[in-house]
Amino acid sequence: PNLAVNLGLRYEFINSPTETLDRVANISDPLQEVPDEGGPYFENPSLKNFSPRIGFAWDPTGSGKTSIRGGFGLFHDQLLPWVYTFAPFRMRPFALRITLPSSIAGPFPTRLDELVNQFNLDGSLPLEVLNSTSANAVIDTSQPYIIQWNLSLQQEILPGTAVTATYAGSRGVKLSRTADVNVPPGVICEDPLPAGCTAADGRRYFGTTPEGTTRPNPTFAGITDRRWDGLSWYHGLKLGLRKRFSSGFQYQIAYNWQRFMDEGSAIRTTGGDFTNASTFATDWRDRKIDRGLSAYHVAHTFSSNFTLELPFGPGRSYGSGTSGVAAALIQGWQINGIISLSTGQALGINGDGGQTCRLCADRGSAARPDLIPGRDNSPNTGDPNAWFGAVTDNFQNQEVGFYGTLGRNTAEAPGIATVDLAINKSFALSERADLQFRTEIFNIFNRANFGAPALATFSRGRASGSFGRISTTTGTSRQIQFALKIVF
């Protein structure tokens, strides 16, 4: 009788949309020269989406003062319009995205006008121009899903007051990554050593050979592919203390420690999902290069709120004998407060992509510098003019032809701290209605919460002068507002 269990099984699928006139083109292989036309936008992976769920609640003592709860569930992430609004329809012959090298670009805009007119007349373009077209493709679709679990213990320690401890975790599988799949393959430095490699360390080298300087598919320039092979991991500990409203007072305190890792956090490229992390994978062939803290990662958060009704007025501890105007002035006061504290989100420090491979950086692929051996991969001076210190204190331009040695999202942005306060005064209008005057003060201490610092370390071989400089704030300055509210 002290145990309750819920079991569930959800089945949900979607249809893969089609275009009424088959004006859809896509490539299913990075080396494909002629796009496939017609058919659905992508192969539908959702037809086996069975999602089991289980949850339980148990009172081991039967006293109603102890509760142990847990749950497990599998959740599918459906491939909804964000997939096909960014991908297969942006493909020749129905759409063209052209990156013209200077050798064939000609005078602007004369050359562009010539190409547009020619295309409008007969649908053709010179071969060298067609080979400069970019593609947005969905080459491989798999069904992304997340497994979540949690276990919590809640114990009443005083009447109306309880503490809670919760462990929560999740594992994401087949998550989306965005990458240019038409970058040079390079060579792996292993025995026997290819030219340009100095050690059999397994690193990928992009030298002056065709493997490092030419695209595998010369028919296209960059091919932006959305693939589903990424993983994520989350572990979190949540502690809470809560007192229910009694005797004119209530409060709640919550602390959360978490660690969130993945191999790519973003799905959008245009505009980007984040300002603190790259939207492109470093190398589509090796997702482990980008395994690191998620763009969502915030290690510590603390929040607290309280409500206090001041004990003044008739029937209260102070001024219980007052009446008339005096009673109306001293009764009905309430103070509310919210305290929010958190460490900063994870930051990805950027390097010079052209140092590794010019074509690798052409579509915005992630690039990171080398970490100087023995130095700090997450420096923090606290100075908004140089949050990470000087570039050369900890980082150096990556070795020519190689990826940088710095990990993904190793740094941390400034934390956030705010205190909000509200003072309310209620006036009785009738037995069933009150007029409430509210004074609300946001960020009462007027603390400047800094935004993310500039993340670029090197450009064209030179250190960035703006590296680590913070030019924005997060949230508002102190804000005060007044309001009247009728409660009935």
Side-chain angles (χ1 to χ4, degrees):
N2 300 328
L3 176 66
V5 178
N6 279 326
L7 297 173
L9 180 64
R10 179 184 178 90
Y11 176 67
E12 180 181 12
F13 69 94
I14 61 171
N15 293 319
S16 179
T18 58
E19 209 279 330
T20 55
L21 299 179
D22 274 345
R23 292 174 296 192
V24 176
N26 194 23
I27 57 176
S28 56
D29 187 288
L31 300 179
Q32 186 173 340
E33 297 182 358
V34 179
D36 301 319
E37 296 181 29
Y41 280 90
F42 54 84
E43 183 178 350
N44 188 356
S46 71
L47 299 181
K48 297 180 181 180
N49 282 6
F50 292 94
S51 306
R53 320 286 174 78
I54 182 172
F56 73 91
W58 177 40
D59 179 359
T61 65
S63 65
K65 296 183 178 182
T66 304
S67 177
I68 299 176
R69 298 182 177 90
F72 172 90
L74 188 151
F75 303 85
H76 292 95
D77 184 11
Q78 302 289 16
L79 304 186
L80 297 176
W82 64 266
V83 175
Y84 44 86
T85 54
F86 280 95
F89 74 94
R90 301 165 74 174
M91 175 80 73
R92 71 191 202 203
F94 306 110
L96 289 176
R97 302 181 67 193
I98 304 174
T99 303
L100 291 178
S102 58
S103 59
I104 61 173
F108 180 84
T110 305
R111 175 63 166 158
L112 180 62
D113 291 339
E114 292 175 355
L115 295 174
V116 171
N117 290 335
Q118 178 178 342
F119 184 75
N120 288 338
L121 285 174
D122 57 17
S124 66
L125 284 174
L127 180 62
E128 67 269 21
V129 174
L130 279 176
N131 290 353
S132 299
T133 59
S134 301
N136 279 56
V138 177
I139 294 178
D140 174 37
T141 53
S142 299
Q143 178 59 62
Y145 64 91
I146 294 179
I147 302 171
Q148 296 181 346
W149 58 89
N150 65 80
L151 180 66
S152 68
L153 169 65
Q154 188 175 58
Q155 176 66 49
E156 183 181 80
I157 56 175
L158 293 171
T161 303
V163 294
T164 304
T166 301
Y167 162 69
S170 72
R171 174 72 181 272
V173 181
K174 299 181 180 179
L175 303 181
S176 173
R177 292 193 305 139
T178 304
D180 183 355
V181 297
N182 200 25
V183 295
V187 294
I188 303 299
C189 292
E190 57 187 7
D191 290 327
L193 287 180
C197 292
T198 57
D201 51 15
R203 292 197 293 167
R204 191 178 297 273
Y205 174 66
F206 303 89
T208 58
T209 62
E211 291 84 1
T213 59
T214 59
R215 296 189 183 277
N217 186 346
T219 307
F220 293 97
I223 301 176
T224 302
D225 168 44
R226 284 158 182 81
R227 57 183 49 246
W228 284 263
D229 62 356
L231 300 174
S232 73
W233 300 262
Y234 173 84
H235 298 281
L237 173 65
K238 304 177 183 181
L239 303 176
L241 175 64
R242 180 178 181 180
K243 178 186 180 301
R244 295 180 180 177
F245 188 81
S246 62
S247 302
F249 182 52
Q250 70 173 19
Y251 64 85
Q252 185 172 352
I253 299 173
Y255 166 76
N256 181 37
W257 172 89
Q258 65 174 5
R259 187 170 181 83
F260 194 168
M261 298 185 65
D262 60 25
E263 297 169 337
S265 303
I267 59 173
R268 293 184 60 222
T269 55
T270 303
D273 287 329
F274 308 102
T275 59
N276 63 313
S278 174
T279 56
F280 266 82
T282 301
D283 191 326
W284 68 275
R285 305 172 187 88
D286 185 1
R287 67 176 193 271
K288 292 182 180 179
I289 293 177
D290 289 326
R291 185 173 295 177
L293 294 176
S294 169
Y296 304 102
H297 173 80
V298 176
H300 304 276
T301 58
F302 173 88
S303 62
S304 178
N305 63 78
F306 68 89
T307 297
L308 173 63
E309 290 186 348
L310 299 185
F312 302 126
R316 300 298 184 95
S317 300
Y318 304 97
S320 61
T322 58
S323 60
V325 174
L329 290 175
I330 66 173
Q331 68 180 354
W333 289 93
Q334 185 184 82
I335 300 176
N336 304 289
I338 300 175
I339 301 172
S340 300
L341 309 172
S342 72
T343 53
Q345 61 189 153
L347 296 178
I349 293 177
N350 302 325
D352 183 355
Q355 185 84 352
T356 300
C357 164
R358 182 183 62 81
L359 293 178
C360 298
D362 188 49
R363 299 281 285 173
S365 298
R368 297 184 288 272
D370 277 350
L371 176 67
I372 298 175
R375 301 296 177 85
D376 190 354
N377 67 355
S378 183
N380 182 345
T381 67
D383 180 1
N385 295 309
W387 186 258
F388 304 117
V391 176
T392 53
D393 287 347
N394 298 282
F395 310 106
Q396 60 190 12
N397 215 350
Q398 63 261 47
E399 187 178 351
V400 174
F402 289 94
Y403 291 127
T405 60
L406 181 67
R408 170 174 166 264
N409 291 354
T410 60
E412 185 177 284
I416 295 176
T418 59
V419 179
D420 304 327
L421 192 68
I423 302 174
N424 307 328
K425 173 69 172 75
S426 295
F427 301 90
L429 298 179
S430 67
E431 291 183 358
R432 303 183 63 180
D434 290 334
L435 175 66
Q436 188 179 87
F437 176 72
R438 303 175 63 89
T439 301
E440 297 169 330
I441 309 173
F442 302 95
N443 192 8
I444 188 171
F445 297 116
N446 202 30
R447 184 182 190 273
N449 290 302
F450 297 126
L455 299 171
T457 51
F458 297 93
S459 177
R460 299 183 179 180
R462 293 189 296 181
S464 170
S466 62
F467 175 65
R469 184 178 303 161
I470 298 176
S471 57
T472 62
T473 56
T474 299
T476 66
S477 58
R478 182 191 296 121
Q479 303 286 323
I480 303 175
Q481 67 181 28
F482 303 99
L484 284 174
K485 181 180 181 180
I486 296 179
V487 182
F488 58 93

